[in-house]
């Protein structure tokens, strides 16, 4: 709970042996991961591609090499250029000039997506036109030898395949996690389809596309001749799903071999193995918060009496039912981000109702000036750690995490909702000191409330389903971190406010911008 002023004592650097061990292991994991990830980038020239207009594009290539075939790399929905680095770096090291770019509405592209998301001839045509402009700009560079292929993941594969059907310049297409209705027995040319072995829903799409060329062909078979542009192949990358396939060495090796066959080249060298190191890096950053939490002062105020079981259930469950019902008739379009206004309102209403119930039962008390300052200082440190430490790793190795100016207003609007929500969540679970079932109930109820909202207006709020895994991951990683901080400092409000700011930032920088026209 938010507490009044009380005597304090400092616990700086008074860590238990277990916390020292975790701190040392976390730092070692971070240093080793960064060293490995940077070694994957070593020797590769990474620079902007001129002539793409408002579309940010980057070329990955060997320095001082002659003209080479170009490989265009297109990311999936809510992705950006860094997400495809494993493929870009490996192909660049194999001698290709690899051009990755941020689609409209994604990453650091300042232009929102537009058109009709429900129509194959709507937004897709605009993204295809953008892809065509990037191809034009890439082929105009001195490092391009006039030959070009395209690699796309998920949404990017949908656009890549459709573009390749109508663009004769594209000699080969690699569709990763693909699903498309425009494939024919002969178009696009030299089509390689790669699905993750755990992508059950998408596997039949690749099988059906392969059967158009040869009904008897199986996964792993190559149909046709790459030299003639008639080749077809479908493979399953083992032990990966829709996201993990991005970093799959098997996927990258298949892509490199397919491009070599298309362009009559032979290339080898190491495959960038970034997925495991990225996971270790992010795990080390999160784990380091456990010992760092003990470096702040802790209040001597006795632990308040927790909410009774019945009152807790009312605070946890009532907003989950009331908020989606109350907001179902509300429609706004203030910011160019899919479902952003609704999500901000949902967070704000949920948090406000929960805080009001806590106040009604006398569980919410304003702190004195000195204690308020300590709470805000703690909130600032939590937000800084998430945005500037975790965020730096995300931005360099995973996906764009630092905003272009247009997204700052979106982050501020999201914070008006996420801060009261995360504050109420932290108070409900007593900064991690409440029993585990209370944490699971409170956060599960919020996820259910988003599901109810989606069911009430599926057409308008469909993209909330994309948000659900993000929020769940946030609860698992940073909810746990908030519990460490709340227990160590006995200031759940500081942890809640800080995590609310971080959540607003994470949603504001990653979710695609969209402007209906």
């Amino acid at each position: 709970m938010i507490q009044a002023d009380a005597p304090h004592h400092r616990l700086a650097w008074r860590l238990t042996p277990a916390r020292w061990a975790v701190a040392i292991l976390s730092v070692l994991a971070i240093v080793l991961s960064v060293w490995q990830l940077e070694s994957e980038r070593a020797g590769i020239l990474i620079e902007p591609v001129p002539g793409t207009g408002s579309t940010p594009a980057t070329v990955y290539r060997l320095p001082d090499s002659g003209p080479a075939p170009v490989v265009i790399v297109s990311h999936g929905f809510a992705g950006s250029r860094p997400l495809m680095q494993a493929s870009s770096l490996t192909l660049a090291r194999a001698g290709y000039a690899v051009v990755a770019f941020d689609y409209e509405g994604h990453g650091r592209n300042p232009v929102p997506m537009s058109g009709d998301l429900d129509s194959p001839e709507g937004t897709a045509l605009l993204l295809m036109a953008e892809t065509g402009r990037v191809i034009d700009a890439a082929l105009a560079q001195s490092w391009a030898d006039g030959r070009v292929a395209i690699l796309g993941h998920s949404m990017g594969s949908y656009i890549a395949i459709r573009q390749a059907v109508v663009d004769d310049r594209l000699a080969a297409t690699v569709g990763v996690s693909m699903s498309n209705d425009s494939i024919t027995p002969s178009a696009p040319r030299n089509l390689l389809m790669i699905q993750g072995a755990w992508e059950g829903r998408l596997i039949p799409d690749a099988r059906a596309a392969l059967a158009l060329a040869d009904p008897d062909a199986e996964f792993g078979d190559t149909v046709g001749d790459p030299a003639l542009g008639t080749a077809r192949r479908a493979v399953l990358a083992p032990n990966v799903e829709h996201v993990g396939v991005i970093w799959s060495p098997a996927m990258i090796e298949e892509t490199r071999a397919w491009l070599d066959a298309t362009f009559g080249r032979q290339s080898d060298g190491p495959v960038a193995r970034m997925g495991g190191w990225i996971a270790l890096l992010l795990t080390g950053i999160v784990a380091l918060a456990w010992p760092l939490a003990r470096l702040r002062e802790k209040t001597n105020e006795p632990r308040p009496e927790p909410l009774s079981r019945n009152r807790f259930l009312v605070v946890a469950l009532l907003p989950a039912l009331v908020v989606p019902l109350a907001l179902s008739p509300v429609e706004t379009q203030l910011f160019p981000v899919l479902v952003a206004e609704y999500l901000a309102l949902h967070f704000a209403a949920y948090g406000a109702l929960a805080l009001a119930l806590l106040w009604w039962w006398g569980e919410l008390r304003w702190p004195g000036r000195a204690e308020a300052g300590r709470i805000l200082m703690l909130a600032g440190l939590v937000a800084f750690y998430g945005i500037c430490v975790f965020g730096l790793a995300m931005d360099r190795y995973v996906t764009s995490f630092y905003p272009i100016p247009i997204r700052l207003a979106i982050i501020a609007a999201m914070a008006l909702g996420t801060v009261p929500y995360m504050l109420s969540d932290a108070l409900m679970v007593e900064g991690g000191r409440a029993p585990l079932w209370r944490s699971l109930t409170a956060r599960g109820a919020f996820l259910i409330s988003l599901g109810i909202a989606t069911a009430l207006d599926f057409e308008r709020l469909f993209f909330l389903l994309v948000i659900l895994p993000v929020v769940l991951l946030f609860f698992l990683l940073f909810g746990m971190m908030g519990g460490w901080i709340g227990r160590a400092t006995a200031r759940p409000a500081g942890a809640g406010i800080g995590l609310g700011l971080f959540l607003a930032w994470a949603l504001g920088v990653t979710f695609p911008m969209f402007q209906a026209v």
Side-chain angles (χ1 to χ4, degrees):
M1 309 303 165
I2 299 180
Q3 300 299 322
D5 282 309
H8 295 80
H9 64 276
R10 183 168 295 278
L11 296 180
W13 303 108
R14 293 177 56 185
L15 302 182
T16 64
R19 290 181 187 269
W20 272 116
V22 170
I24 294 170
L25 290 174
S26 297
V27 171
L28 288 175
I30 292 169
V31 171
L32 179 60
S33 299
V34 170
W35 184 81
Q36 290 285 348
L37 292 168
E38 287 299 313
S39 70
E40 298 290 1
R41 298 164 61 96
I44 302 297
L45 183 62
I46 304 173
E47 59 183 5
V49 179
T52 59
S54 59
T55 302
T58 300
V59 61
Y60 301 76
R61 63 187 181 90
L62 293 174
D64 303 322
S65 60
V70 172
V71 181
I72 305 295
V73 175
S74 58
H75 60 76
F77 186 81
S80 61
R81 288 165 289 170
L83 198 60
M84 305 295 291
Q85 275 189 93
S87 294
S88 298
L89 293 169
T90 300
L91 295 176
R93 205 172 297 281
Y96 292 95
V98 184
V99 175
F101 67 100
D102 291 344
Y103 275 118
E104 291 179 352
H106 293 75
R108 293 190 171 92
N109 195 321
V111 179
M113 297 172 67
S114 57
D116 183 0
L117 288 173
D118 297 325
S119 170
E121 306 305 322
T123 301
L125 288 180
L126 299 176
L127 299 183
M128 288 169 61
E130 183 176 32
T131 305
R133 293 193 298 271
V134 173
I135 295 173
D136 293 340
L139 291 178
Q141 306 306 314
S142 60
W143 35 257
D145 70 2
R147 297 177 291 174
V148 61
I150 191 167
L151 159 68
H153 170 250
S154 192
M155 178 195 77
S157 72
Y158 179 84
I159 303 302
I161 291 172
R162 290 177 64 90
Q163 180 68 22
V165 169
V166 300
D167 192 335
D168 291 337
R169 296 174 297 180
L170 292 168
T173 301
V174 180
V176 181
S177 300
M178 52 75 61
S179 176
N180 196 275
D181 57 2
S182 59
I183 297 172
T184 72
S186 58
R189 293 188 295 164
N190 285 352
L191 175 62
L192 171 64
M193 298 164 284
I194 306 174
Q195 314 289 62
W198 297 344
E199 292 186 281
R201 182 178 60 86
L202 293 178
I203 289 174
D205 292 341
R207 189 187 303 275
L210 184 63
L212 292 174
D214 183 348
D216 297 325
E218 299 290 340
F219 281 99
D221 294 341
T222 299
V223 177
D225 185 352
L228 300 177
T230 60
R232 289 285 187 277
R233 180 175 170 84
V235 295
L236 297 179
N239 306 318
V240 290
E241 29 56 60
H242 193 69
V243 177
V245 70
I246 294 170
W247 296 289
S248 167
M251 181 276 288
I252 299 170
E253 288 173 351
E254 284 280 353
T255 298
R256 185 176 61 185
W258 191 254
L259 296 174
D260 284 349
T262 296
F263 295 120
R265 305 173 78 247
Q266 282 191 333
S267 57
D268 51 19
V271 170
R273 297 178 181 270
M274 301 181 69
W277 294 112
I278 289 171
L280 182 62
L281 172 61
L282 300 182
T283 300
I285 293 173
V286 172
L288 186 59
W290 187 56
L292 288 180
R294 282 291 184 188
L295 303 185
R296 292 297 301 163
E297 57 190 2
K298 180 176 181 179
T299 179
N300 284 327
E301 182 84 3
R303 177 179 174 182
E305 187 69 23
L307 278 172
S308 68
R309 178 188 294 264
N310 289 340
R311 286 185 175 181
F312 167 79
L313 290 174
V314 171
V315 176
L317 301 180
L318 183 62
L321 298 175
V322 170
V323 169
L325 293 173
L327 295 182
S328 61
V330 178
E331 291 192 32
T332 58
Q333 185 61 50
L334 299 176
F335 296 102
V337 176
L338 291 167
V339 302
E341 291 91 344
Y342 179 84
L343 189 62
L345 284 173
H346 197 102
F347 274 120
Y350 206 105
L353 180 54
L355 290 173
L357 290 169
L358 291 170
W359 174 81
W360 180 259
W361 283 318
E363 299 291 335
L364 182 64
R365 296 180 292 277
W366 293 108
R369 180 178 298 179
E371 178 64 9
R374 297 184 183 100
I375 289 173
L376 293 177
M377 176 66 74
L378 177 61
L381 290 172
V382 172
F384 175 85
Y385 192 78
I387 295 169
C388 297
V389 180
F390 187 87
L392 179 62
M394 289 287 291
D395 190 76
R396 187 161 181 83
Y397 303 119
V398 184
T399 191
S400 295
F401 204 77
Y402 291 126
I404 55 178
I406 192 174
R407 289 186 179 269
L408 294 175
I410 298 167
I411 294 170
M414 292 301 304
L416 294 177
T418 56
V419 169
Y421 168 73
M422 290 305 299
L423 175 59
S424 69
D425 174 82
L427 297 179
M428 270 194 289
V429 301
E430 304 173 71
R433 291 179 294 181
L436 178 61
W437 72 266
R438 292 200 175 196
S439 296
L440 296 176
T441 300
R443 291 159 187 175
F446 180 79
L447 294 174
I448 290 172
S449 75
L450 288 180
I452 294 172
T454 305
L456 291 174
D457 193 348
F458 186 80
E459 182 177 355
R460 180 169 68 99
L461 301 179
F462 166 78
F463 285 98
L464 282 180
L465 297 179
V466 179
I467 286 289
L468 285 175
V470 177
V471 177
L472 177 59
L473 183 63
F474 185 88
F475 284 155
L476 291 175
L477 291 180
F478 297 99
M480 179 174 59
M481 190 174 82
W484 296 337
I485 297 167
R487 287 190 294 271
T489 65
R491 291 190 178 93
I497 294 171
L499 289 178
L501 292 171
F502 176 51
L503 179 58
W505 185 285
L507 294 173
V509 299
T510 56
F511 214 60
M513 297 187 296
F514 181 82
Q515 185 69 61
V517 295

